[in-house]
Amino acid sequence: STGSSPSITSSPSRSSGEPTRTPSSRHAQEGSKRWSQSTSAVLSRIAEIQRDEIEMELAMLKDIVARPQQSVTGMEFKFLLDNSDVIGENFESIITGLENVVPYVGSDYDEASQRMVLFVNMIRVAPIEVFMSYGDRIIALYDEIDKFSRFWKMKKFIMRLTFIGPEALPFIFRAQKLSYRDKFFAFCRVGASGRSITEPVLLEMWEEIMSHPGTGASIQPIIIAMKRIGMPVPTVPDDHVHKERIVVAKERFSDISTQSPVEMCELNWHRRRR
C-alpha cells in the first residue's frame, strides 16, 4: 500500500463498478425534488384561485341575469371568457340575459349596451357545438339588433355565425369589413346548404377576379369555396393570365367535396398537410 486516500466514487460495500452517490449528486437530487414539489404546489394554488374566481364570476353573472336593471359598469369576466366549457355549461342563462336586455339597447353606449356587450363576448367564445345548437335564437337576436349596434359587427362574431348555416348569409352580405377571402371562407363554411344563395355571388366574384391580372391570390380560396358548396369551377381560355394558377389549384384541391370537413375551408389547413 502506498497510503493513498480512498476513492470518493466507490465504496467497499458495493460491487466493482457501481458508483456511489457523491454529496453533490445527493444535493442535486434533493434540490430537484424540492423544486418539483414547490412547482406542483404553486400550480395547485393557481388552479384553486382560478376555480374560486370562476365561481365568483358565475355568481355575478347569475345576479346580472336575475336583476336586469343593476349596473354592470366596471364588471369583468376574464376567467369565464378564458374557459369556454364553463360558458357552454351556462349558455342558457347567458343568452336569456341577452334576450332580456336587447329591447332596452339604444344607439348610445348606455347601461343596456354595456350589459349587451358582456353577454355578446361570452356567446362569442362558447364551444362551437353549443353555439350552433342555439343558432335560431342567436340569429333572431342578431336580426333585431344589428341595425344600430357596432358590437354585433365584429368580424370574429360575424364569421362565427357561418357555423349556424345559410340563415347567417344575410349578415355576411351586409358586413362591410369582410374581405373577399373572408367571404370565400364564410361561404365555404356554410357549405352546400347555402349554394342557391352563394353560387351567384361566387360567380360574380369569379368574374371580377378573372378580369384583373393582379388577383391571383384569390384563386385558391374561391376554388376551395366553390368545391365545398358543390358548384363547378368555371373554365377559362388556355391563354388566360390565370389559367396555370387555376389548373394547379383544381388539382391540389381535387379531393374537396360537399362532404369535406369544415377545416378544409382554411388555406392554412392545406399548407399543414403538404
Side-chain angles (χ1 to χ4, degrees):
S1 170
T2 60
S4 60
S5 300
S7 170
I8 63 170
T9 60
S10 63
S11 170
S13 62
R14 293 178 179 267
S15 60
S16 176
E18 185 179 348
T20 301
R21 291 181 182 176
T22 63
S24 60
S25 68
R26 283 198 302 271
H27 291 158
Q29 289 180 350
E30 290 169 0
S32 177
K33 184 178 180 180
R34 285 195 300 271
W35 182 87
S36 178
Q37 291 173 337
S38 175
T39 301
S40 178
V42 169
L43 293 176
S44 178
R45 179 57 182 154
I46 290 173
E48 183 181 346
I49 292 172
Q50 288 177 334
R51 285 193 297 270
D52 291 345
E53 292 289 343
I54 289 173
E55 288 300 321
M56 184 177 68
E57 290 181 2
L58 276 176
M60 288 169 53
L61 172 63
K62 292 175 181 177
D63 193 43
I64 290 171
V65 174
R67 297 194 296 156
Q69 302 306 318
Q70 73 160 308
S71 173
V72 296
T73 301
M75 286 189 177
E76 291 186 356
F77 293 86
K78 60 182 181 180
F79 286 92
L80 274 182
L81 293 174
D82 284 339
N83 288 270
S84 64
D85 289 342
V86 179
I87 293 289
E89 292 166 3
N90 294 273
F91 200 87
E92 178 63 35
S93 294
I94 294 167
I95 196 167
T96 298
L98 183 55
E99 289 168 338
N100 290 342
V101 77
V102 161
Y104 302 100
V105 175
S107 56
D108 298 326
Y109 190 58
D110 54 12
E111 186 65 40
S113 294
Q114 293 180 50
R115 183 183 300 272
M116 179 197 69
V117 172
L118 286 178
F119 291 131
V120 170
N121 284 336
M122 291 181 190
I123 285 176
R124 189 164 54 88
V125 299
I128 292 298
E129 297 77 12
V130 176
F131 189 88
M132 292 171 64
S133 69
Y134 282 84
D136 291 345
R137 291 169 71 177
I138 293 172
I139 290 294
L141 283 167
Y142 201 97
D143 197 29
E144 183 175 351
I145 206 168
D146 175 57
K147 300 170 186 174
F148 53 82
S149 176
R150 62 187 174 89
F151 300 103
W152 286 73
K153 296 174 182 173
M154 293 182 292
K155 176 178 170 180
K156 286 184 178 180
F157 192 85
I158 292 173
M159 295 302 288
R160 241 181 178 234
L161 291 176
T162 58
F163 285 109
I164 294 172
E167 298 86 357
L169 288 171
F171 308 107
I172 302 299
F173 294 141
R174 295 214 301 262
Q176 299 176 353
K177 294 185 178 180
L178 297 186
S179 66
Y180 262 28
R181 283 201 173 203
D182 292 332
K183 290 179 179 178
F184 299 151
F185 185 35
F187 297 161
C188 181
R189 268 187 178 175
V190 172
S193 61
R195 178 177 172 178
S196 62
I197 302 171
T198 56
E199 182 169 355
V201 180
L202 284 171
L203 286 173
E204 185 177 331
M205 296 170 86
W206 176 269
E207 291 301 322
E208 177 70 16
I209 293 168
M210 292 301 107
S211 64
H212 299 285
T215 53
S218 295
I219 290 173
Q220 288 192 359
I222 194 173
I223 286 179
I224 290 172
M226 287 177 164
K227 291 182 71 64
R228 193 167 186 275
I229 73 167
M231 67 174 283
V233 178
T235 58
V236 296
D238 289 341
D239 61 348
H240 193 282
V241 65
H242 292 312
K243 176 67 175 182
E244 185 177 350
R245 282 178 178 266
I246 294 169
V247 170
V248 171
K250 287 174 70 174
E251 181 177 349
R252 182 182 178 191
F253 306 122
S254 60
D255 57 340
I256 297 180
S257 72
T258 56
Q259 305 303 313
S260 296
V262 71
E263 289 82 7
M264 278 197 172
C265 293
E266 296 191 62
L267 269 177
N268 285 339
W269 187 91
H270 296 279
R271 292 190 183 106
R272 289 193 295 269
R273 73 168 183 166
R274 279 182 176 177

